[in-house]
Structures are given as C-alpha cells and as structure tokens.
Amino acid sequence: MIAAQAGAQTGELFDGIAAVVNGEVISIGEVRRTALLAREESLGIGELCAAQSGLAMEPALGNQPATPSPIPGASDRELSPAELQRARECLIDTRLVFREVRRFPRVGADDERIDAMMDALTAQFETPAAFAAEMRRLGMGLEEIRSDLRRQLLVGEYVDGRFRATVEITEEQARAAWAQEFVPNMETEGVPVPAFEEVANDYVIPILRQREVNRRVQSWILDLRERATIRRMYP
Amino acid sequence: MSSVHAGRLLLAATVLATASFAAGTAAAQNLSLVERTGGGHTIAAVEVVSRWERLIPSARTAITVQPGDDYDIARMRTTLQNLYALGTVANVRVEASAAAGGLLLRFVLEPQVHLWDVHFTGERPWSKGRLRAALSVREGDALDAEALGNQETRLQQALADDGYLLAAVSGKIVEGDTPARGILELHITPGAQARLADVSITTDGGIAGSELAIALALPAGSPYRPIVFEEALDRVRARLLQSNFFFHETRVVEQSLDLSDNSMWLEVEVAVGPRVDLDFSGQPFSEEILRQRLAVFEFGTVDDWALKDSRHELVRWLQERGHWRPLVSYSRDRDEQGRNTSVRFRVLAGRTAKLVRIEFTGTDRVAASTLAATIRSQPAGFLAPRRFISDWWLEDQRAVTTSYRRRGFSEASVVNARARYDEQAGGVVATMSVQEGPISRVRSVDVTLLGSDAPSSIDSSLWATALQLYPGGPFDPGAVRRDADLLRALLASVGYPRAIVTSDAERDDEGVAITHTVVPGVLQRVGKVLIAGNDATRDNVIERELAFASGAPFSFADLLETQSRLYATGLFSQVDVAPAVSDDLEVTQPLVVRVQEAPPMFITYGAGFDTEEKVRGTFTIGHNNIAGRNQELSFSTRASVREQRFRVLFREPYFLGRRTEGTATAFYTNEQEASFKVQRYGVSFQLLVQHSDRVASLPRLVFRDTSTFDVEINPRLIRPEDQSTRVGALTYSLIVDTRPNPINPTSGFYGTTDVELATRMLGSNTNFVTVLGRWFGYRRLTDRLTLALGARAGIKIPHSGSDSIPLPERFFAGGSTTLRGFQLDGAGPVDDSGNPLGGRVLLISNIELRAQLWGELGGVAFADFGNVFAQAGTITWREVRETVGIGIRYSTPVGPIRFDFARLMDRRVGEDRYQVFFSIGHTF
C-alpha cells in the first residue's frame, strides 16, 4: 500500500462515506447501486427500500401499480442528486430498521431457507457464468447477497410478529373500502366488478391489512429516525 | 417455498433480479469509470492520503481492500466502516484513477475534529467558567456543524434563562495545533439583561397579596431571570402550603417584555382555595418533623392517599424511636365540593421497647439461625439498640418464604407472625410460625443444543458445575431463570453473544425435570483489531493489554477486561473497546480500541500531621510514558521533622516483554531514630510478579550504604563497626492480600513474608539473614463490629563469620503502628540512659475491636503485646510487654483519621504510663 501526501493528483470520486447512522456507515457505492437499481427496475425508491429492508413483501402488494420511475429511460443518464438522496434515505431507513430488529433475540434465518432462495435466484440466469457476471457488474459477492437475504428474512419475521399479527380487518371495514374505493376505481378503469364475497379474502382484506401494516411501519420508522444520530455526507 | 417467501425472494433479492432486466445497459457510474479505464474492476494499487499524516498508519490497518482484489461494494463498505470506527476519521472519499492493471484507489481521509478548547469572544456577561459550564460538549468530544449548532443554542438558552432574552450566539470551529484539535469559538452578543418593571400579585382572599409579595421577593428594578422567577413562584406556593392552602392555584396572567427599555411586566393571580385545618394530637411532634416526613406537606395535598401515607409514616417514625405498637388514626371533614378541608390525626404512641428476641416455630428442616440471617429485623445487642419496625417485619416474612422456596420448599408459607411485649424478657418478642410443606427436588437437568450452527466446541463441561440447579438438589423456581441467564453468559464468553436459551420445568412424582434449550447462533470471532487515538503511545503498549486476539471467539467480557487493563496503565483518560459495527450476522467482528491519552506528566503533593513525624510534606513529579512505552521516570520526596527521603524511580511495566513490573530506584534518606540519626543511600532493583489477583511476589536486589550519627547509646554497648554499614542483599517477599477493601478492611487477610540475604558476595560488609513475617486478618462480627488481629515475627541471624547485626539494621518497635504503650522505637533493650538498642528478634501481636458508632465516627479498643529482643535466647514471658487502649476513628476516603490513647500495663522505671497518638490510617 502506498501512502501519499495530500495534494497529489486527484481522481474521480469512486466511493466513500455517504452517511453514518448511529455509527454505521452507508457507502457511496451502496447509494449509487440502490439508485441505479431503482431506475433500472422502474421502482419508486420507497418500494425498492421496502424490498431491500424486507418490510413490505406480501404478494398482495404486487396488485398495486408500481410507482413509475421518475426519470423514464434514465438508465442511460448520470444519476441525479435527487435520486442519490432518495437512495441514501432509503438505506438509512434500512439500517435503522435492521438495527432495531437485531436488538431482539430470535432463532435466526436458517441456512436452508437462504440456500433455497439463492438457488431460485441463480435459476433466473441462463448460466452460472451469467449470474457471476452480473454480480461482478454490481460489485456484489455471494456473502453479501446471503447476508442481505438473511437480514430481509429477519426483518420480515419481526414485522410479522410485531405489526402484522396484531392487524385485524373486519368484514365491515372491508365492505366499506370495497364500496368506497375499489369499486369506483374499477368502474373508472372499465374493469368488470366482481361480487365482494368472491374477492374479499384473497384480494380486499390482504390489501387493507398490508396498508395498515405499512402505516404502522412508517410511523415506526419515523420514530426510529427521531431517535437516531444521522450524519449525511453525500451527495 | 410458500407464496409469501417467493414474494420475498422476488423483492428481497432486488439487486440480482434487476440484473436480468438491466443486462447490457452498463449505466452505473462505477461501470462508466471501468469502461474508461479499460482495466476492469481490479484494484491495481491503494493509496492513503490525509492532510493530517498521523491518521495514515492506523488507517492502513483498517483498509481491507488490497491490490489484486476485485472491487466489491461490501468489502469497500467494511473498509469505510473500519476507518470511521477509528474515531479519528470524520469522512472518507475514495478516488479512482486509471493505472496499469486496473484502478488506483486513493483514500482521502478527513480528520475528525475533537474539542480541544473553547474561546469566547464578544461581550462576556459571565465568567469563562460559567459560560463553559453552560455547554454540553466536553474536551475530546467530536466536533462538527451539528455539535456547533447545539452549543450555540444551549448557550443562548442559558443566557436567556439568566435574563439575557435578546442574546445572540454565533460560533465557528477553528483548527488547533493539529487538524484533530478543534477550538470552539463562540461569539456572544448578550444585549442588556432584562429587568423587572413590576410584579403584581393578587389573591382572592384568605391570605394578603402583600404577604405573598414578600414570599415572591422580586423587587422592581431587579434583573429578570426566568429561572429565578420560577423559584419565586415556588416560594409563593410554599408559603401557601405553609398556611395549609392545599387547594391553591397560581397563574401568570401577564408576562410582557418592553423592548424599548428591556423591562419585564409580570402579573400573578392566586386563587387560594379553602384553608385545610390540620390537627395532630396525642404526641407532640415538632413542626419540622411533620413537614419533613409527611406526604400531606411534601406534596401539598390532603387527598386520601396522602393521609394514609402520612399515617403510615407517623407509625414508622414512632417505631424507629422505640414505640413498639403506636396507634395513629385520622378523621376528616369534607366541604360541599368533596375536598378534605379538616383533618385530625390522633396518635397513641404507646410504650417504648427494644426488640429483644426473634423466634421461629415450625422450622424443622431449616435452622432458625439461617432464617435469622436472611431477615432485616434483628434483636438488640451491643451498640445496636434495635427496635421493632412493622414494615421490616412484613419484609421479613417475605424473605423467609423466599428463603424456603430457594431450598425447594415450594409450598412453604408464614402462617402466623406476631409481636408481643414480654415483661420477663424486658422487651418485644417477635414470633414467626412457618409451615414448611414438602420439599421438591430436581430430577434431571438437560441442556439441549439446537440449530444448524450448534458447535461441537460447546460441551457440557462449560456449564456442568456452574448451574445452580442439579439433579437431586432442591428445586427453586427462580433458579431456572438464573441458570438460563448463566447459560447465556457462558455462551457469550465463548463467542456466542446472541445465544437464545429457553427453559422448561416439568414436575412429576419423582421430582422436577428441567430442560434448557439453547440456540447458540453463529460463532462470532474477533476480526481485525484496530487501534486509534494513540498519539505518543506505541501500538504494542496497547496490544499487550488486549484480552483477545484476532480469530479468537468474541466475548464482551474480554472487551471489558481490555478496557480495564488499559485504564490501569494510567496512560489514558478515555478508553473504548467495541466492535467496529455491532452486527450480529457477521461471523467476524472487527474490534476498535479507541483511546484518548492523558497528559503523561504528573505532579502530586500533599501534607499531613501525626504525632511521630509532626508536620509532613510529600511531592512527586514524573512522566509515565517515556518514549511511548508506558515507562515511568519520577522523582519524589517526603520530608518531616523526623525524616527526609528522596527517590528517583524508573518503572518498566513489562520487564523483558513479560507481564512483570520491574522497578529501579535510587534513594537517599535521613532519619532521626530514638537514639541515633541515620543516613542511607543506595539503589535497588525489584520485580513485581503478580501470580493472581491476591498473590504476588517481589524479588529484589538492594545495595545501601548506611551511616549513623549522634549516637546516644553507651559506647560500650555498640561497637564502632556496628554503627555504620554497607548492605548488599537479595530479598524475596511473598504478598497475599484478600482484603476486599484495603483502606478500611472488615474482612480478609493481608500478609507479607520476607526473606533477606545480606552477604559479602553482593557487596555487603556484613553477613546476615533476615526473616520477617507480617500477617493481619479481619473479620466482621456484626454490621457494626470488626475484629482485627495482627502478628509480626522476625529474626536476624548473622552468618559466615559475622557475629553481630549493625545498629541501623536491627529491629525496633514501639509507636503508633506496633506497640502503642511506647513512644516511637521505645520498646526493647535499652542502655543505662534508656536509649533503645534494637534487637535481633521481633515479636508483636495486636488485637483491635473496631466499632462503627455514628455515621463516619468509630471507636476501637485494642491490646498490643510483644517486644524486641536482643537475641532469641533472651525471650521470656516477662519481657512480653502489654498495652491496652482505646481510640477514635473518623472515616475519610483516604483512610480513617486516628486518635489512640494507650496505657502500658507493665510499666517499668523510666517508662511513661500513657501514650497518645494522632495519625491517618488504621494501625494495621
């Protein structure tokens, strides 16, 4: 390793500290990658953040329209400061959530489940070489992916136990939402409206439950932010 | 896989899922760089730069990315985390440029600024000390824009609280003599202090406004301070409570600042409410006691809860004063709004009595003395005039039940507890009847390891002897939880800090089967060890104090042990040992040892007085971090009328690289002994070998030249060659110390056993062997009484042609720490004029009964026996001298102030009958 004095020829900003959350570093590389993925996946940062932190993962969510990418076709452009800021804030939330989750004892995500998830993931690529190439392109290692999956599982279990388990949607609430929100939306879009009883258990109630879970999680995250020490350095 | 998990996978692994959509886009900035350099992601070289060079060495150890590695965001993040965790780096930029074979990465480190000093500029309304006290930041704290803003706000608020309502504070951080040292410069524009234009206070009757204005005590024209105003309102409330207006309401109805002259107008309205009529009859309580102890006055309320609490407190107060069965009742009248406006307490104090006896019945399987030791109530005894306190008696019943439960009597209960006055015994006899019930025993204890991470390295020997519950032993339900905690602690000590332990107790006819199920989690090991904050101190000085090594199982106990060891070096004012980031999913934890160095130069001084040395002064100056090695060089002196000592000392805490303290000393002393003056100068070298916390040995090589002057002893009794001498000797001392509190010991043992060989081979001009033992034991007899016993025995034997012991090398005894019936060194053989001659044999024993009398004040009764004998053959019972006496002790943090009055029981012609001593510290 070479030690050099300041003032030597400087290069392009490559990585560094983007933020520090309760002493835990978020790197510029992580921020850039998150912002890029959000753009490429056409996900709103909020959704990507939820996914990365393991918070909102019910299949029911998929029934809601994804937030369109703020910059269509942006994958060819430089990342904007606003995109980077949103990505940074998303990672801050992720860190806060996981820090809170790991305060509580639990059995832990077992390796078999993670192995299965890894298998499913690699199966999305035509060859192992293609999988490895993408990992390399994104600057990721197998251990990092496994570690992320483990975190996401733990957060999911925590959210299930703390929030989802206590959310109850009554039939009256479901009927009211169905009549006041779902039916008008479908009519506006010209979609045939099924009977409430046909979709209540598989569609309406899961969505309403997820909304309530999301509301509580958001409130929880706001509280975590208020109690945290956060330093922001980049962008 | 369930649909939920499938959904999680889809979104959770967003990173790679995205890759399949984004193939070929190459949009990441990292990639654009890679494409331009044409070198791929391979790191060709790594540079570390900083405008503060001192950061670079420790930063190098924190960087985990190496030339030849592929760039990896996770690994880079670990490096950045390590760098930040050092505490000396505020920010890191990683710059890249093209180089042969890949990327040249340059880590640009921004030093973390720590507070070094605070400067106040502008107009200072307060002293610097007061301004400084208003800030929350302390020397060594990290300084940044946020901290600066916080301090500005705090100071501005503090000024406003003092009446500087228009004060403005602006600050900046100025670099000190290094980039890490920040000077906080705060510019103050205080403006004028607000003054009170007028304070009016009005009431709705019951008490005159003028009377409350007196309590308010805020004259017009005085400075206006919000805190002072609040205090004034509290005085008004106190005044209202004093007049029993418990239902008053105080309201500030007008509070306006006139900006033209910075004056404050205040208007206070008081609704006094009904006056409460409080009456106490039957016992003349002082007003002071009532107001100090009763809730009605403390909380200013006569609500029912406060009346009950006050009744209880009166009973307690009377019981503490020996009224063993006082009766207190109260009655109250309410007004139409339901308020208690008239309260009458009636008190029947009853007779006074001591608690003379506590009896237990029904205790077949647990000894009454065992139960008595667990309860708070105790019978009266010497210096312990104990009373019967009903609160304690209730606590005692619970304590007895708990004591039984712990012994396996899960159905035990106290079926009757009473106290009666026993005329014959002359006091209160308390009786507790116990129903023991059957004993439950532990049938089995199983510890089951679960989880794929269950390590083979954890075997049952880890907890085999540690658990409280064992097969065949009594079953205590509380011990199940304690054993679970113990298992967690044991696992944490071998690298499983997040182990989960769940416990179950199943009862059947044969006993209780206990199962602890353990999920140890992932074995965590110590990763890289990073050291930061040491400026002068060498890394190896810190490394040798580490209780852990890279690769060893991670244990919080080792972290604390390391912290403790580093503090013990005396080099650091602050030590933090912690993981770089507390993430229990990582199997290796990089640890950061962050220190803040204390000033290496030290000066200590003191003064004292005792009856033997009279006025005494001490002074030491030294440096404890020579060349950054924790070596100490110091000069010390101690001077009194009787002696003067000078010493130069060099100490190496790790002699020859081992945990053995080596000390080289050069010294000079000049002492006035009872019958001669003596000068000594010499050098010594000693090693302190610590065998355990309680046992140490001290081999020592010493060379001293001793000369005597003004010898008053009859010349016929002391040969000229015995008056001065040169001693070269090898000494070995064994030290055992089990006292929990060496300053004021009440238990344990302290003993030293020394063997000294003085021989011509080591430069001595006389040959002799000395064996000397000093042993002291302490035992607490009651919570106020301690018995202290001491014994000292020594002998000096000439050898190899020598036939005498030189005068300054002889044993002497007498004085405040040996035989208190004599003045200093006054015991033992004397010449015709009564001048002590010293001797070859020393035998002393001391007995002291130490009592705590009142607060810090204590008393002792003592007896000292023994003497100095010319030779072993001259020891006779007649020559064993006897002293008895009493003394007073007053405890201080540096030891008790001591006053002893001693009487020599077998006084002989020419000897004083009484001696008085005053000094600091116990006799032994």
Side-chain angles (χ1 to χ4, degrees):
Chain A
M1 202 177 295
I2 306 161
Q5 292 300 304
Q9 181 193 353
T10 56
E12 183 178 348
L13 177 63
F14 185 72
D15 210 329
I17 298 179
V20 182
V21 185
N22 293 324
E24 222 172 309
V25 163
I26 293 169
S27 73
I28 291 173
E30 289 177 290
V31 170
R32 283 175 170 169
R33 184 173 62 191
T34 301
L36 177 68
L37 289 172
R39 179 190 292 181
E40 292 181 347
E41 184 72 337
S42 296
L43 284 175
I45 281 286
E47 287 159 284
L48 181 76
C49 184
Q52 287 201 325
S53 63
L55 285 174
M57 290 172 282
E58 281 290 337
L61 261 186
N63 292 325
Q64 298 177 85
T67 309
S69 172
I71 313 170
S75 57
D76 293 328
R77 298 191 206 156
E78 292 291 309
L79 293 162
S80 71
E83 282 177 290
L84 292 167
Q85 278 170 11
R86 284 196 295 270
R88 182 193 64 203
E89 296 307 303
C90 152
L91 289 166
I92 288 173
D93 285 347
T94 307
R95 293 286 202 279
L96 288 171
V97 165
F98 189 63
R99 184 185 175 87
E100 189 68 5
V101 167
R102 71 184 174 218
R103 285 177 54 218
F104 296 93
R106 72 281 164 185
V107 172
D110 68 57
D111 285 343
E112 285 175 17
R113 286 170 67 189
I114 293 168
D115 288 343
M117 293 168 79
M118 285 296 291
D119 290 344
L121 200 59
T122 50
Q124 294 183 28
F125 294 84
E126 288 180 3
T127 62
F131 176 69
E134 285 309 318
M135 289 209 318
R136 185 179 163 83
R137 186 181 78 83
L138 293 161
M140 295 190 80
L142 274 178
E143 271 312 306
E144 189 184 2
I145 296 171
R146 290 183 69 86
S147 180
D148 274 356
L149 291 173
R150 193 187 295 270
R151 285 164 199 245
Q152 290 158 17
L153 279 172
L154 290 172
V155 174
E157 283 169 6
Y158 179 87
V159 170
D160 283 352
R162 176 168 172 175
F163 301 107
R164 198 180 307 283
T166 58
V167 171
E168 278 300 323
I169 305 294
T170 62
E171 188 180 329
E172 289 71 30
Q173 288 171 316
R175 279 188 186 282
W178 176 252
Q180 291 162 21
E181 182 190 343
F182 288 74
V183 173
N185 282 349
M186 283 187 276
E187 286 173 351
T188 305
E189 292 169 12
V191 177
V193 179
F196 171 74
E197 288 72 17
E198 286 176 29
V199 292
N201 289 334
D202 296 333
Y203 183 67
V204 182
I205 290 176
I207 287 178
L208 293 179
R209 181 181 289 125
Q210 184 60 49
R211 281 185 193 171
E212 178 57 18
V213 170
N214 288 352
R215 190 189 63 76
R216 293 186 189 187
V217 167
Q218 283 309 313
S219 161
W220 174 53
I221 291 177
L222 281 177
D223 181 52
L224 292 178
R225 275 188 174 251
E226 278 179 18
R227 288 187 280 130
T229 305
I230 301 170
R231 292 182 63 197
R232 296 174 176 83
M233 288 90 152
Y234 173 88
Chain B
M1 194 181 298
S2 72
S3 61
V4 172
H5 293 154
R8 278 183 185 152
L9 173 62
L10 189 66
L11 288 167
T14 327
V15 174
L16 281 185
T18 305
S20 59
F21 293 105
T25 54
Q29 290 186 341
N30 294 339
L31 274 189
S32 66
L33 174 69
V34 170
E35 285 167 344
R36 284 202 300 278
T37 59
H41 284 85
T42 305
I43 296 162
V46 175
E47 284 184 358
V48 188
V49 300
S50 174
R51 63 192 177 91
W52 195 37
E53 277 183 70
R54 280 188 188 278
L55 286 182
I56 293 172
S58 58
R60 278 181 184 153
T61 65
I63 293 173
T64 55
V65 295
Q66 299 292 332
D69 289 347
D70 282 349
Y71 171 67
D72 178 318
I73 288 181
R75 190 179 298 175
M76 178 61 84
R77 190 191 149 278
T78 301
T79 287
L80 295 169
Q81 179 69 56
N82 287 350
L83 287 167
Y84 187 79
L86 292 173
T88 51
V89 175
N91 198 3
V92 183
R93 276 171 60 88
V94 183
E95 297 172 351
S97 53
L103 298 175
L104 165 63
L105 294 189
R106 171 179 299 197
F107 287 79
V108 184
L109 312 180
E110 182 61 32
Q112 175 67 60
V113 180
H114 296 274
L115 180 67
W116 183 252
D117 201 358
V118 183
H119 292 169
F120 297 99
T121 59
E123 194 183 335
R124 289 200 312 209
W126 298 341
S127 68
K128 186 179 175 185
R130 190 175 170 191
L131 288 167
R132 182 70 186 81
L135 305 177
S136 63
V137 69
R138 295 287 165 255
E139 280 74 9
D141 286 356
L143 271 187
D144 55 22
E146 192 179 340
L148 173 64
N150 288 341
Q151 300 314 308
E152 288 169 346
T153 307
R154 281 186 71 93
L155 186 53
Q156 196 161 322
Q157 184 58 50
L159 289 165
D161 287 344
D162 195 36
Y164 295 96
L165 303 177
L166 306 175
V169 178
S170 61
K172 60 182 176 183
I173 298 167
V174 180
E175 191 172 298
D177 50 0
T178 74
R181 292 178 177 176
I183 295 166
L184 183 59
E185 208 170 273
L186 293 168
H187 184 82
I188 303 168
T189 313
Q193 195 175 25
R195 301 209 156 261
L196 280 169
D198 187 35
V199 187
S200 69
I201 185 162
T202 56
T203 75
D204 59 356
I207 189 166
S210 58
E211 209 165 323
L212 296 183
I214 291 169
L216 197 67
L218 288 177
S222 63
Y224 167 74
R225 299 182 181 93
I227 289 175
V228 172
F229 178 56
E230 279 304 319
E231 288 168 357
L233 287 180
D234 286 343
R235 287 198 295 274
V236 169
R237 293 183 190 110
R239 176 68 189 83
L240 289 161
L241 291 178
Q242 195 181 9
S243 296
N244 293 359
F245 288 108
F246 289 160
F247 300 101
H248 71 266
E249 282 179 30
T250 306
R251 205 156 58 93
V252 180
V253 291
E254 180 71 39
Q255 188 170 14
S256 57
L257 179 67
D258 185 343
L259 289 173
S260 64
D261 61 354
N262 210 20
S263 61
M264 181 65 84
W265 298 77
L266 296 162
E267 191 178 334
V268 180
E269 264 181 18
V270 179
V272 297
R275 183 201 292 265
V276 176
D277 177 22
L278 267 170
D279 176 57
F280 294 84
S281 62
Q283 174 76 13
F285 293 107
S286 75
E287 179 85 6
E288 187 186 0
I289 286 168
L290 293 173
R291 291 195 175 273
Q292 273 179 1
R293 297 194 62 142
L294 300 193
V296 289
F297 294 108
E298 185 184 353
F299 297 99
T301 173
V302 282
D303 287 351
D304 286 354
W305 71 267
L307 296 177
K308 283 179 188 164
D309 191 90
S310 298
R311 178 176 60 187
H312 184 89
E313 197 57 34
L314 287 171
V315 169
R316 174 71 180 262
W317 188 86
L318 289 163
Q319 285 184 335
E320 284 171 2
R321 273 138 198 87
H323 299 273
W324 84 278
R325 186 169 276 176
L327 292 174
V328 178
S329 62
Y330 65 82
S331 59
R332 72 259 195 279
D333 296 327
R334 291 178 166 165
D335 65 7
E336 62 277 8
Q337 293 173 37
R339 297 181 294 196
N340 296 333
T341 51
S342 174
V343 180
R344 288 170 300 283
F345 281 91
R346 297 280 174 270
V347 180
L348 282 172
R351 70 195 303 177
T352 57
K354 290 179 184 176
L355 175 60
V356 292
R357 200 162 65 239
I358 297 172
E359 295 173 345
F360 293 94
T361 62
T363 54
D364 297 333
R365 298 164 84 172
V366 178
S369 58
T370 307
L371 296 174
T374 65
I375 63 175
R376 194 170 176 190
S377 301
Q378 294 292 325
F382 176 64
L383 293 175
R386 295 198 175 87
R387 316 296 192 188
F388 176 80
I389 311 284
S390 50
D391 283 358
W392 291 7
W393 190 233
L394 285 172
E395 282 175 33
D396 293 342
Q397 292 167 46
R398 288 193 289 272
V400 165
T401 307
T402 305
S403 182
Y404 267 101
R405 299 269 159 88
R406 291 197 167 189
R407 289 172 169 78
F409 296 89
S410 54
E411 295 171 23
S413 62
V414 174
V415 291
N416 190 15
R418 61 198 171 88
R420 62 188 164 80
Y421 188 83
D422 187 320
E423 294 289 350
Q424 212 168 9
V428 176
V429 176
T431 310
M432 207 182 286
S433 300
V434 179
Q435 198 164 51
E436 293 180 329
I439 189 168
S440 303
R441 294 204 173 272
V442 176
R443 178 161 56 84
S444 60
V445 179
D446 293 311
V447 180
T448 310
L449 289 173
L450 283 188
S452 56
D453 295 323
S456 57
S457 61
I458 300 178
D459 60 41
S460 57
S461 64
L462 191 65
W463 51 74
T465 55
L467 298 182
Q468 290 182 11
L469 295 175
Y470 53 91
F475 171 67
D476 168 17
V480 178
R481 183 181 47 77
R482 289 195 292 277
D483 278 350
D485 290 343
L486 194 70
L487 282 170
R488 281 186 206 100
L490 286 169
L491 287 159
S493 69
V494 294
Y496 298 92
R498 309 279 175 170
I500 297 169
V501 180
T502 50
S503 304
D504 188 41
E506 208 167 291
R507 191 188 295 261
D508 61 19
D509 293 343
E510 293 174 30
V512 183
I514 295 155
T515 308
H516 299 290
T517 306
V518 176
V519 182
V522 179
L523 172 63
Q524 292 187 328
R525 292 186 181 278
V526 176
K528 219 174 207 327
V529 179
L530 308 169
I531 294 171
N534 52 321
D535 192 3
T537 309
R538 295 178 182 221
D539 282 355
N540 73 313
V541 169
I542 294 171
E543 283 163 357
R544 69 193 184 193
E545 303 296 345
L546 303 181
F548 46 77
S550 191
F554 174 85
S555 157
F556 282 108
D558 290 344
L559 265 55
L560 291 175
E561 172 64 20
T562 300
Q563 199 168 16
S564 170
R565 286 186 196 172
L566 285 169
Y567 273 122
T569 62
L571 297 177
F572 308 112
S573 57
Q574 178 79 36
V575 178
D576 293 306
V577 186
V581 58
S582 52
D583 187 341
D584 61 345
L585 296 181
E586 300 298 330
V587 292
T588 56
Q589 294 276 6
L591 292 183
V592 182
V593 181
R594 196 181 301 128
V595 297
Q596 193 173 314
E597 290 178 339
M601 288 294 296
F602 62 91
I603 294 176
T604 60
Y605 48 87
F609 174 84
D610 66 43
T611 43
E612 290 175 349
E613 293 198 55
K614 306 295 186 288
V615 178
R616 181 181 65 229
T618 61
F619 175 81
T620 303
I621 183 168
H623 190 294
N624 69 354
N625 202 9
I626 304 288
R629 298 173 190 270
N630 195 21
Q631 293 167 337
E632 176 186 327
L633 181 64
S634 65
F635 167 78
S636 62
T637 179
R638 170 188 167 120
S640 69
V641 173
R642 201 180 76 79
E643 69 167 5
Q644 299 84 46
R645 295 183 182 191
F646 303 90
R647 186 185 69 174
V648 177
L649 174 147
F650 179 78
R651 184 182 61 84
E652 162 59 62
Y654 275 70
F655 184 66
L656 297 178
R658 305 181 62 151
R659 189 182 282 275
T660 297
E661 185 180 289
T663 306
T665 310
F667 59 88
Y668 169 82
T669 67
N670 183 21
E671 290 177 58
Q672 172 68 62
E673 303 291 0
S675 50
F676 57 92
K677 286 182 181 171
V678 60
Q679 271 185 4
R680 292 186 179 89
Y681 62 87
V683 292
S684 72
F685 176 74
Q686 70 176 32
L687 298 174
L688 174 62
V689 185
Q690 198 76 42
H691 302 292
S692 71
D693 288 348
R694 297 175 167 187
V695 181
S697 55
L698 202 71
R700 183 162 53 140
L701 189 63
V702 64
F703 182 88
R704 59 179 177 266
D705 192 286
T706 309
S707 306
T708 53
F709 304 93
D710 300 339
V711 179
E712 294 167 11
I713 299 169
N714 186 334
R716 287 187 293 107
L717 298 175
I718 189 89
R719 298 184 305 194
E721 62 267 33
D722 283 342
Q723 294 190 14
S724 296
T725 187
R726 191 173 66 238
V727 173
L730 193 60
T731 306
Y732 179 83
S733 301
L734 180 70
I735 304 164
V736 179
D737 188 356
T738 66
R739 298 169 300 173
N741 176 4
I743 300 283
N744 191 12
T746 56
S747 64
F749 172 82
Y750 175 75
T752 64
T753 306
D754 309 332
V755 179
E756 183 180 62
L757 172 67
T759 168
R760 290 197 172 91
M761 289 162 60
L762 294 171
S764 202
N765 57 12
T766 181
N767 297 313
F768 63 92
V769 173
T770 304
V771 180
L772 174 63
R774 286 164 286 199
W775 308 287
F776 307 104
Y778 310 87
R779 186 183 173 92
R780 183 187 281 275
L781 300 178
T782 71
D783 59 348
R784 286 171 177 266
L785 276 182
T786 300
L787 178 66
L789 299 173
R792 280 167 270 204
I795 187 165
K796 288 178 182 276
I797 305 167
H799 67 90
S800 305
S802 296
D803 60 353
S804 67
I805 301 295
L807 177 65
E809 296 297 329
R810 293 176 185 173
F811 289 124
F812 288 87
S816 72
T817 59
T818 52
L819 298 169
R820 281 167 277 189
F822 297 90
Q823 60 184 348
L824 183 66
D825 296 346
V830 293
D831 68 3
D832 304 338
S833 308
N835 294 308
L837 299 171
R840 294 186 189 179
V841 179
L842 174 81
L843 289 173
I844 295 172
S845 71
N846 310 93
I847 303 171
E848 248 188 39
L849 193 62
R850 299 172 181 171
Q852 185 209 344
L853 298 178
W854 184 64
E856 303 302 322
L857 194 66
V860 300
F862 61 82
D864 301 333
F865 305 94
N867 209 341
V868 168
F869 302 91
Q871 304 206 40
T874 63
I875 300 172
T876 62
W877 275 114
R878 188 179 178 279
E879 290 304 316
V880 175
R881 310 301 303 273
E882 301 156 19
T883 299
V884 296
I886 54 173
I888 295 171
R889 305 284 184 268
Y890 185 83
S891 292
T892 72
V894 293
I897 295 172
R898 174 157 67 101
F899 177 83
D900 282 338
F901 177 78
R903 183 177 191 273
L904 185 60
M905 298 303 288
D906 53 351
R907 175 175 168 267
R908 293 169 192 175
V909 178
E911 293 175 341
D912 294 331
R913 185 175 295 279
Y914 301 106
Q915 298 290 336
V916 174
F917 298 101
F918 173 83
S919 63
I920 289 185
H922 279 298
T923 312
F924 55 90

